[in-house]
Amino acid sequence: GQNIDQPTEMTATEGAIVQINCTYQTSGFNGLFWYQQHAGEAPTFLSYNVLDGLEEKGRFSSFLSRSKGYSYLLLKELQMKDSASYLCAVNGNNRLAFGKGNQVVVIP
Amino acid sequence: EAQVTQNPRYLITVTGKKLTVTCSQNMNHEYMSWYRQDPGLGLRQIYYSMNVEVTDKGDVPEGYKVSRKEKRNFPLILESPSPNQTSLYFCASSPGRSNQPQHFGDGTRLSIL
């Protein structure tokens, strides 16, 4: 089976940088996804990592270390609209499993 | 517009009354999946389908059925709903390759009384 762990909630100030961590255990690792989900809405895709290192996409970056079973999502220049839950999802043996999500609250 | 469409969006019903939640995608995706989302438990996979006539159980399949007779449709069937199936349900699809993200429908909020 797969085991994915994310912290549950964090608060950050508008304009700041926040790092959301995800640790995982899986067999047949085939990539890690980050999704954003606003309350009551569908998850939307943010980033994908399959090789070690940093992927940058505008204000969002995602890092992966396969040997450590670890990823993080970095949100820069936080905006109020970034208040959402951030879900880490791991593809292991072509099955996708989601973490419980990390709720980020952005305050002025 | 590329999308995954679920119906209904909201439903309140009673224990034991069979119901179907429809899911349709217009992107010619091979892979489709159903999830339920509950507070504190995150998204959990119910069933998935790799292609037409190919379905498999996810992590929480008990009490649910699915079918995949056509590529675009993947209905979720609750033969005899119970209150513990009250949840927010999402359908998702993807091209099928492991590096492709899933596209989610807007969700269906089911309340079983």
Side-chain angles (χ1 to χ4, degrees), chain A residues 40-41, chain B residues 6-11 21 88-89 105-110:
Chain A
E41 296 182 11
Chain B
Q6 295 178 226
N7 278 297
R9 292 289 316 280
Y10 305 90
L11 180 64
V21 185
L88 178 59
Y89 290 85
D106 287 336
T108 295
R109 191 166 289 282
L110 282 184

Side-chain angles (χ1 to χ4, degrees), chain A residues 5-69:
Chain A
D5 194 31
Q6 293 184 252
T8 54
E9 185 169 320
M10 54 176 56
T11 302
T13 308
E14 202 173 7
I17 299 173
V18 71
Q19 178 174 313
I20 304 164
N21 298 320
C22 173
T23 57
Y24 65 89
Q25 292 174 306
T26 190
S27 54
F29 178 79
N30 225 349
L32 185 146
F33 297 85
W34 283 97
Y35 287 83
Q36 180 191 60
Q37 185 178 25
H38 287 102
E41 296 182 11
T44 55
F45 169 70
L46 289 177
S47 70
Y48 172 74
N49 295 71
V50 68
L51 299 176
D52 290 351
L54 191 68
E55 293 280 340
E56 297 190 77
K57 226 183 202 182
R59 292 190 299 116
F60 295 169
S61 304
S62 56
F63 171 83
L64 175 68
S65 168
R66 288 172 297 171
S67 62
K68 293 181 179 170

